[in-house]
Amino acid sequence: MIASSSGNTVKSNGFSDKVPNEMSGVQPWFACMMLLAIAPLLHLLATWDMDGVLTAKNHFLRLYSIPVVFAEVCAVLFAMGKNWSPGRQFRTLHPALKWLLAIFVAWGLIGSILSAYDPAFSALFFMRYLLQILLLGVLVHVIGSRSFSADRWFTTFTLISMVYVTGLVIFCFVVPDPENFKWVERMPSATNIRQIGNVVGIMALIPTAALVFAHTARPTLLAFLSLTLLLAFMFWTGTRGAFVGYVLAVIGTFIWLFRTASFKNIGLILLSGVAAFLISAVAPKPAPEFGMGRMVDSVSSGDATSGRIEMWIDAIEAIKAAPLIGHGSGTYRENMMAANNYPYNHPHNSILQFAYDWGIVGAIFALALLAWLGIMLLLKSRSCGRNGWAALSAFVCLLAISAVEGTLFHPLPIVLALALMAPALAFTQNTVSGVDKQD
């Protein structure tokens, strides 16, 4: 990526746009940061339901992540009001990326309209993915401001992540009838505790990146305590996908960026993980499905995949029935419930999810876009310090979890990952004043 010395233009191999002019009042990057950072809290509060009775309204808010989508829409609309134009930004993209995006959007919309039992709903559901693409463009645009502070960006997301986890802990203590509460399905802000664990696993990457590059006592202590809290909660949820995704992300990113990372701080990450494990081990478990013991039991059981292989086989059979344009976005639950009595929202594998929704052709274009993004992050990460570490680890973690879970179905983990990727996509190290001064 190349930035002019004046900070007015940022070019980035596929994501480029004019940097927003300095303006009075709230900076666009700050407003977008707050909207996205509080999205988990909005989802938590909107689905706070202690009696365990899942109303239609609560189910709707959980399943379709309405508070998160609302925050995304507000961020996009705010940026448009501050002179961001999706059409203008699209015209600056690499020609190959333009074609990939255009074909993917057209194919997804056409497939949703032609194949779904409810074309309007399916097309609207597909628009969530388009919204997330627009959001990434918005973040790259607004972060290009000369006033942008990566320190404030990552610190804000870290602090609000801890508030989110603290809110979930408080919820556990105030449930009036804990013995009869359906803990796995009814914890607020998600459809089940595993989804919450996946979200917290991605959140834990923020203080991890800070800890890798921390040079003084105060940021080191804050990052260590934050990481310990988030990892302890992740372990407590008993979510295998989050654990594996986090470990693969940290190891993979460290291997790629080993020349830029601090070896002594890697030891602090390991120490934080041990402390988190001990905390989760002694913390009370509301149900047998919680805790690290659940992970061990599930792996050592007769079916270590928890029924995923059977689900994947059935998903492949369904894909064979509509290999060209798929079954339409958001139709998996209803279709598979009728065919196989599966009460699941997705096939717990992102590739199968894409092929089921948009057919094999649509899945190829979706994977091509992800590959483009991954290559960009690999190329940029070595020159971006903490920004590069956070971006690459978020990408690896998101894809690793999505191989066995539904992280590319639910908006919240995608939004968090995009928030971690955007600073690296918008800048290289020290190209614009105010960017990641501690790197």
Side-chain angles (χ1 to χ4, degrees), residues 320-370:
K320 290 179 180 179
L324 187 60
I325 60 175
H327 297 271
S329 301
T331 65
Y332 181 87
R333 183 183 181 92
E334 286 73 13
N335 289 343
M336 298 304 283
M337 175 68 79
N340 302 296
N341 201 31
Y342 285 163
Y344 305 114
N345 300 316
H346 44 76
H348 288 69
N349 177 275
S350 56
I351 297 176
L352 294 179
Q353 176 190 327
F354 294 161
Y356 182 92
D357 286 355
W358 312 314
I360 296 175
V361 175
I364 290 174
F365 282 102
L367 294 173
L369 288 171
L370 287 174

Side-chain angles (χ1 to χ4, degrees), residues 126-187:
F126 175 77
M127 294 296 287
R128 293 200 316 183
Y129 292 97
L130 179 57
L131 175 62
Q132 287 149 7
I133 293 173
L134 292 174
L135 179 64
L136 180 57
V138 164
L139 294 180
V140 171
H141 175 79
V142 300
I143 287 174
S145 167
R146 289 179 61 87
S147 68
F148 174 75
S149 169
D151 286 337
R152 180 175 293 185
W153 183 271
F154 287 110
T155 300
T156 299
F157 276 96
T158 299
L159 293 176
I160 296 185
S161 295
M162 290 194 295
V163 174
Y164 170 74
V165 167
T166 301
L168 289 168
V169 172
I170 293 174
F171 178 88
C172 294
F173 280 103
V174 299
V175 169
D177 188 12
E179 293 184 358
N180 296 315
F181 187 80
K182 295 181 179 180
W183 289 98
V184 173
E185 298 91 351
R186 298 294 186 266
M187 289 281 287

